[in-house]
Amino acid sequence: LAKTTQPISMDSYEGQEVNITCSHNNIATNDYITWYQQFPSQGPRFIIQGYKTKVTNEVASLFIPADRKSSTLSLPRVSLSDTAVYYCLIDTGRRALTFGSGTRLQVQP
Amino acid sequence: EAGVTQFPSHSVIEKGQTVTLRCDPISGHDNLYWYRRVMGKEIKFLLHFVKESKQDESGMPNNRFLAERTGGTYSTLKVQPAELEDSGVYFCASSQLAGTEYQETQYFGPGTRLLVL
């Protein structure tokens, strides 16, 4: 099972771009990379998923290098409401999700 | 469309008592999952239903925990008898039955905060 490593916390200011990098050195060929966001007192919420190169949606972008041993979640122009915990997960095809400790992002005014 | 709902939002019970948590998935979602986060730890998978059948219950900690999903709609998770270490947040999630294993988005409820004294 691929283990993920990401920073425990990050600080940013409103309007800045935030990049959260996750390492997953032993990711398997068929695994996907998935990111969830969790606000206080809420359950996790799916943000984005990718396999390789770049994926973009209305919320974020996900950059995955060719070796797929890491991935970077990019949040453009963060606002105070983006303060949350962000989880990088490896989707192995087994339906149960495996959460790590996540990255606590604090956005300051 | 209503999201995943959980009841109660909070529960405080004494050690040895019984508590039943309820989860109502998004209508039409065949997959239903239970997770929990105990104090200071990561969110951990408990079990997975496909309709009314238990597909994977490898995360259930012990036989004090009983999950049911009669009729394939809502699910209950009963803890009997509750112990101190059962305190934490219990999340429920649901998803549609995907044709492939990947790219299945799980939608989480707000969780039930359980405190065992």
Side-chain angles (χ1 to χ4, degrees):
Chain A
L1 194 65
K3 178 179 167 57
T4 60
T5 302
Q6 51 184 125
I8 294 174
S9 64
M10 294 182 69
D11 292 304
S12 182
Y13 292 95
E14 283 190 292
Q16 290 188 330
E17 178 184 79
V18 171
N19 296 306
I20 305 175
T21 297
C22 175
S23 65
H24 26 79
N25 292 321
N26 56 339
I27 189 170
T29 302
N30 294 331
D31 293 345
Y32 278 69
I33 299 153
T34 306
W35 286 78
Y36 275 75
Q37 172 191 57
Q38 186 178 23
F39 298 114
S41 300
Q42 294 187 26
R45 182 177 76 111
F46 172 87
I47 302 177
I48 197 166
Q49 183 180 65
Y51 182 78
K52 62 180 179 181
T53 62
K54 177 184 174 182
V55 179
T56 297
N57 62 23
E58 64 278 5
V59 177
S61 294
L62 180 59
F63 298 91
I64 305 168
D67 66 6
R68 303 195 335 117
K69 293 183 183 300
S70 67
S71 59
T72 299
L73 176 74
S74 182
L75 305 173
R77 297 180 298 282
V78 294
S79 63
L80 296 177
S81 62
D82 292 315
T83 294
V85 179
Y86 292 83
Y87 296 97
C88 167
L89 292 82
I90 301 302
D91 187 344
T92 64
R94 176 175 178 254
R95 294 190 185 272
L97 297 177
T98 301
F99 287 86
S101 300
T103 297
R104 188 172 300 276
L105 173 66
Q106 180 69 50
V107 180
Q108 309 276 7
Chain B
E1 180 183 309
V4 176
T5 58
Q6 294 187 243
F7 182 83
S9 59
H10 295 78
S11 181
V12 181
I13 61 173
E14 293 187 350
K15 176 183 171 181
Q17 289 186 321
T18 297
V19 63
T20 300
L21 313 181
R22 173 172 170 144
C23 168
D24 285 81
I26 293 173
S27 177
H29 281 193
D30 289 325
N31 291 300
L32 188 148
Y33 305 82
W34 284 98
Y35 295 83
R36 76 169 180 176
R37 176 166 54 207
V38 296
M39 186 68 72
K41 299 291 182 63
E42 298 160 357
I43 298 172
K44 296 289 188 184
F45 165 79
L46 295 179
L47 89 159
H48 168 213
F49 284 99
V50 176
K51 298 183 181 179
E52 66 276 7
S53 300
K54 291 177 184 175
Q55 190 75 12
D56 180 357
E57 50 185 330
S58 61
M60 294 288 264
N62 52 61
N63 59 10
R64 294 187 294 102
F65 289 76
L66 175 64
E68 294 180 323
R69 193 184 182 193
T70 306
T73 54
Y74 71 91
S75 174
T76 58
L77 179 65
K78 181 192 292 187
V79 185
Q80 179 183 30
E83 298 290 344
L84 299 180
E85 63 265 25
D86 299 331
S87 295
V89 184
Y90 290 76
F91 294 104
C92 175
S94 72
S95 69
Q96 290 180 315
L97 194 62
T100 61
E101 294 290 337
Y102 301 100
Q103 301 182 334
E104 172 204 6
T105 299
Q106 294 188 19
Y107 298 86
F108 282 76
T112 292
R113 281 142 191 82
L114 175 65
L115 179 60
V116 182
L117 301 175

